[in-house]
Amino acid sequence: MTNEKHWTDDEEVLEDYVLSRIEDSVRARLDAHLKSCAQCRERVESEAGLAAGIRQFEASRIKGQLQALTNGRRRSVPLPHILSMAAAIVLIVGIGFYNRWFMNAVPQPAPLEIAEQQKEVSSTPKDTPPTRDDDKSVKKHEEVNGLGESTSTSKSRSNSQPSTAPEGFLADEKESLTAAVGSEPYELTGFLLRKEVHISGESESISGAAEKSARQEDIVVHQNQAALKDSEVRKTGNLVILRGEEKADRVAEPDGQVRCSIERVDSLFYLTIFMTQGNSLGDPRLVRARLAGPDSLVLVLDKAQLGLRLPSEFRGQIVPAE
Amino acid sequence: MDIQEQSQERNEAFLNRVRNGEMAALVELYSSSQKTIRALVTRNSGSADEAEDILQDSLVIFWQRVRADHFEARAHPGTFLYAIARNLWFRQLSRKKRERALNAADFQKEDTSIPLLDEISKKEDAELVQQALTRLSDQCRSLLTAFYWEELTMEEIAVRFKFANAQTAKSKKYQCKKLLKEILTKQRVLP
């Protein structure tokens, strides 16, 4: 070792490097130095080992406490709460397990016409994201799996298909759904769809379970993005994507518009629809969603179909089957 | 206040309980998520016991992420936990596959053991670090876990540990780390 200056001499930089607190551009520079500096690599390894050991220590401690507190509850399953009246629907569409999610959007073709997608969707995902049922205002909580499936339909399982995963997820995760849309089957890699029905005993207005919707600031409002060709299907007008600042008093659909919000949280894509029970479009609890193309979804209610073209930031997540 | 706001407020209150170190909040999340995470694992080639392990490991990660402020109330805690569990389980499945593949390869190729040895060595080192930590004072241990596990900044550490300022926190952390390294050096883990 000479008097040469090494970045690993700086304890803070070393810690930041190991804890991933530095910018990518800086990291690239540091990495370049590591390639030619064996001593520096050793220091990094040493610091990383220290951090790993400390983390494991604390994780074990927390896990031990948790095990002590949950001992005897290993097989307990909370019973669903009992219900009453108004409903909110959350469709949670997990489209995240795809590399392009974290990259710049690739230009996508225009959505397929909705009229071609009148057929039923044939399969469902294998697992269902969780819901919390400790919400006291929620009297009933139903969870339904799958595309093209309602509370009253039977469930079918899709075959697992490999997907490409974003950072933090494994490339060989098997979680996908093949949705038959019109004559063209489309596969939505890593697709999950959850429908939650939240029932409140005192109010007929619907919101709730919107998770992040009130925060979303940058959603583009799309109206009439997908036309409905089937004359028998009532053309209900617009599917309006709510902007972040819009509140629950805009939730109802007096003008025939259905409000929804789209957002991305971690690897999930959330589509939340706000409807009132007893509305003119159909029972919100029976809403179904199906894939209409690489960048389009169709929401199917018993009296209406609504097309939704995904905002650009969400496009490219849906890939047609090979 | 509408239902949505109430829901967000409840989420935030729940997260605050976790941030404050209230283990009971974690137990509540355990109870409400047990069924779905068990279903996730058992429907994907896992056993009930493996599901339980994944649930607990996920809760630990959830705890860490919330306390490190890497999670906002924008998503439901249960959803976030599910995403963690899913990630963990599929990673574990993948590792199992790799191990099976490696075992098969062992019959054909002998030098594949080197990465494994590295891994074992790292694991042993981590265990030694954990042993060394038990020899530190409670405050030193807490300070180092606050920095490395919760990933708090020096300013946050100063507030939590009631140090005069971030500089003092930094100095204390340096001392604790030095002490830990000394213990480890005696154990010959560190050069």
Side-chain angles (χ1 to χ4, degrees):
Chain A
M1 186 78 183
T2 63
N3 290 329
E4 191 186 347
K5 184 83 177 164
H6 301 276
W7 67 261
T8 50
D9 294 339
D10 187 327
E11 186 91 0
E12 269 187 70
V13 177
L14 187 59
E15 288 169 349
D16 287 345
Y17 180 88
V18 166
L19 294 174
S20 299
R21 287 176 169 172
I22 50 175
E23 291 176 8
D24 288 347
S25 57
V26 179
R27 176 173 284 273
R29 190 161 45 82
L30 302 182
D31 283 343
H33 177 76
L34 283 184
K35 283 180 185 169
S36 59
C37 178
Q39 187 183 342
C40 297
R41 284 198 300 274
E42 199 171 290
R43 281 184 182 169
V44 168
E45 272 183 25
S46 171
E47 180 67 21
L50 202 67
I54 293 169
R55 287 175 168 197
Q56 284 176 24
F57 177 88
E58 188 62 3
S60 301
R61 192 183 69 80
I62 299 292
K63 194 172 175 182
Q65 282 185 15
L66 185 64
Q67 281 172 339
L69 289 168
T70 56
N71 193 22
R73 299 189 198 192
R74 287 176 73 96
R75 295 292 172 259
S76 69
V77 175
L79 292 172
H81 294 262
I82 308 301
L83 63 148
S84 88
M85 294 182 59
I89 290 173
V90 178
L91 295 172
I92 297 181
V93 187
I95 312 181
F97 306 104
Y98 190 58
N99 261 339
R100 276 187 280 174
W101 190 266
F102 291 99
M103 299 175 183
N104 291 331
V106 177
Q108 297 295 311
L112 299 183
E113 291 197 339
I114 305 304
E116 293 177 4
Q117 290 93 42
Q118 300 300 319
K119 291 183 183 173
E120 285 294 317
V121 178
S122 61
S123 56
T124 65
K126 221 174 177 184
D127 58 22
T128 308
T131 57
R132 282 184 65 191
D133 41 17
D134 55 354
D135 179 350
K136 288 177 182 163
S137 72
V138 173
K139 308 288 191 195
K140 177 180 179 183
H141 185 174
E142 293 178 30
E143 192 170 298
V144 180
N145 287 328
L147 266 177
E149 182 176 47
S150 73
T151 51
S152 60
T153 58
S154 62
K155 295 174 184 176
S156 63
R157 299 266 172 82
S158 66
N159 293 325
S160 289
Q161 300 291 332
S163 64
T164 310
E167 187 181 354
F169 288 82
L170 290 175
D172 58 352
E173 284 185 15
K174 292 184 183 298
E175 185 65 40
S176 70
L177 174 70
T178 300
V181 179
S183 59
E184 295 290 327
Y186 276 87
E187 178 181 293
L188 191 53
T189 305
F191 193 93
L192 291 173
L193 177 62
R194 181 180 70 170
K195 181 162 62 180
E196 287 181 353
V197 180
H198 289 263
I199 311 272
S200 166
E202 296 168 7
S203 171
E204 286 199 355
S205 66
I206 297 171
S207 67
E211 310 228 335
K212 194 182 131 195
S213 61
R215 291 163 170 263
Q216 194 73 18
E217 298 295 331
D218 53 356
I219 280 178
V220 179
V221 175
H222 292 255
Q223 296 187 9
N224 277 333
Q225 288 293 346
L228 299 170
K229 282 190 175 176
D230 185 345
S231 58
E232 291 183 8
V233 176
R234 179 174 166 188
K235 296 182 180 179
T236 55
N238 305 328
L239 188 65
V240 179
I241 299 177
L242 288 177
R243 295 185 75 84
E245 63 272 16
E246 293 188 85
K247 299 291 184 183
D249 60 355
R250 304 274 315 267
V251 161
E253 62 280 5
D255 52 0
Q257 293 182 328
V258 173
R259 267 76 176 177
C260 72
S261 71
I262 298 178
E263 57 200 309
R264 190 180 74 192
V265 178
D266 298 322
S267 57
L268 295 177
F269 170 100
Y270 288 74
L271 175 62
T272 303
I273 308 167
F274 302 93
M275 297 181 71
T276 52
Q277 198 171 46
N279 68 81
S280 60
L281 306 176
D283 186 346
R285 288 171 298 180
L286 302 181
V287 72
R288 291 172 289 160
R290 65 190 189 197
L291 186 58
D295 59 355
S296 299
L297 287 173
V298 181
L299 306 175
V300 184
L301 290 119
D302 55 351
K303 297 174 186 170
Q305 293 197 27
L306 303 165
L308 170 66
R309 185 175 185 179
L310 300 174
S312 58
E313 63 181 293
F314 297 107
R315 290 177 204 162
Q317 313 308 321
I318 304 172
V319 291
E322 295 297 330
Chain B
M1 185 185 295
D2 61 34
I3 296 171
Q4 183 179 336
E5 286 172 336
Q6 283 175 10
S7 173
Q8 283 181 347
E9 199 168 271
R10 257 193 316 277
N11 283 353
E12 194 53 47
F14 175 82
L15 295 175
N16 280 335
R17 290 171 64 199
V18 174
R19 289 184 191 112
N20 292 332
E22 198 181 314
M23 193 58 82
L26 211 56
V27 175
E28 285 173 27
L29 188 57
Y30 170 95
S31 297
S32 62
S33 304
Q34 192 179 31
K35 186 179 176 183
T36 46
I37 289 178
R38 190 191 304 158
L40 163 74
V41 174
T42 55
R43 285 177 192 175
N44 288 283
S45 318
S47 67
D49 282 343
E50 284 172 320
E52 183 65 26
D53 286 341
I54 288 291
L55 172 58
Q56 290 185 1
D57 289 343
S58 304
L59 283 161
V60 170
I61 293 171
F62 175 88
W63 180 266
Q64 191 269 337
R65 302 304 286 174
V66 172
R67 286 173 67 85
D69 236 5
H70 290 159
F71 172 69
E72 294 175 29
R74 59 189 185 176
H76 198 291
T79 307
F80 184 53
L81 182 73
Y82 185 86
I84 295 170
R86 190 176 183 285
N87 190 14
L88 274 183
W89 175 240
F90 284 109
R91 185 184 299 173
Q92 194 164 311
L93 276 181
S94 176
R95 194 163 49 232
K96 279 183 183 175
K97 269 186 227 163
R98 276 203 307 273
E99 283 169 4
R100 277 199 297 270
L102 191 61
N103 287 338
D106 280 344
F107 292 102
Q108 300 163 347
K109 193 178 177 184
E110 291 182 1
D111 61 357
T112 50
S113 57
I114 293 170
L116 268 187
L117 285 177
D118 281 350
E119 203 162 303
I120 290 166
S121 170
K122 278 180 186 170
K123 198 177 276 185
E124 285 173 349
D125 286 353
E127 282 169 8
L128 287 171
V129 173
Q130 291 177 60
Q131 285 172 19
L133 276 168
T134 61
R135 295 172 62 185
L136 292 181
S137 68
D138 285 347
Q139 194 187 42
C140 259
R141 208 164 40 237
S142 302
L143 199 158
L144 289 175
T145 53
F147 181 75
Y148 284 100
W149 197 69
E150 295 183 48
E151 297 179 19
L152 299 186
T153 62
M154 283 304 149
E155 288 76 12
E156 290 167 330
I157 288 174
V159 171
R160 179 182 291 184
F161 291 85
K162 298 185 170 60
F163 294 137
N165 51 43
Q167 196 55 40
T168 311
K170 196 171 160 184
S171 168
K172 291 280 185 191
K173 192 257 299 172
Y174 176 77
Q175 289 167 15
C176 292
K177 192 172 167 183
K178 191 177 168 196
L179 201 56
L180 181 66
K181 281 182 173 176
E182 282 172 8
I183 296 169
L184 288 168
T185 305
K186 285 177 190 166
Q187 295 174 334
R188 294 183 183 174
V189 172
L190 291 180

